[in-house]
Each structure stands twice: as structure tokens, then as C-alpha cells.
Amino acid sequence: MIRHIVTWKLAAEDAAGKAESAAVIKAELEALVAIIDEVVSLEVHANEAYFDVNWDVVLVAEYESLAGLDAYQVHPAHQKAAAVVRQHVAARASVDFEF
């Protein structure tokens, strides 16, 4: 199994803007579970603490294999959702690991 974790700093600087962006990102990405067969699980959450140092939004997803993650990355539905996400993001970091 591969766990894929992505975290974002949002472009919005105010709480309302961050909340709106987080909701859009959550809706776009969590919808992919029903569309992309390779996704075993996928959750998106907004940060709830230590706002001055923590990143704003996190995605935690799981795939059967690295090949499954690769298929997700290039899937047209993911590409479309990623384009929407990028409109709300100032910075991105990720890590992928086998468990």
C-alpha cells in the first residue's frame, strides 16, 4: 500500500477566504474516490490548530501500489481537479511512502 500525503498553504490570507478555498479543494478531490478506481481511500481536511505555523489543508490518500498512485496522477478527472486546486494554493508539499 502507498500512502500519499499532500499539504497546501492557501493563497487566501483571511479566515473566510481560507475556509472557502479549503471547502472547494475538499469537494474537488474527495469526489475523485467515486471516479478513479485506483483510489483506496482519500480524505481532505482543513487545519484546525496552530494557524501561525501549520499548513492550511491536507490530503491523505491510499493506493494499492505506486502504479495505482501513478494512474491517479495522470487520470483526466484528477488533472481537472488539480487545476482547480492550483487556483487556491500558494505552496504545496507532499510525501509518498509504502506501509
Side-chain angles (χ1 to χ4, degrees):
M1 295 285 291
I2 297 291
R3 185 162 292 148
H4 174 60
I5 300 174
V6 181
T7 189
W8 297 278
K9 284 280 191 182
L10 298 175
E13 296 182 7
D14 63 304
K18 285 182 185 284
E20 181 180 333
S21 291
V24 168
I25 291 169
K26 181 177 182 70
E28 287 288 327
L29 295 175
E30 288 186 352
L32 299 177
V33 174
I35 298 169
I36 303 174
D37 292 337
E38 288 80 7
V39 178
V40 173
S41 68
L42 186 152
E43 297 179 1
V44 176
H45 298 280
N47 179 52
E48 295 182 12
Y50 313 112
F51 299 104
D52 56 331
V53 294
N54 284 355
W55 286 53
D56 299 308
V57 178
V58 66
L59 170 142
V60 179
E62 295 177 353
Y63 307 86
E64 291 288 338
S65 64
L66 186 55
L69 173 57
D70 289 342
Y72 164 81
Q73 295 288 4
V74 299
H75 192 284
H78 175 257
Q79 292 294 313
K80 182 179 174 185
V84 173
V85 170
R86 283 191 295 273
Q87 295 173 15
H88 296 271
V89 169
R92 177 190 180 277
S94 65
V95 64
D96 303 297
F97 58 92
E98 190 170 14
F99 69 103

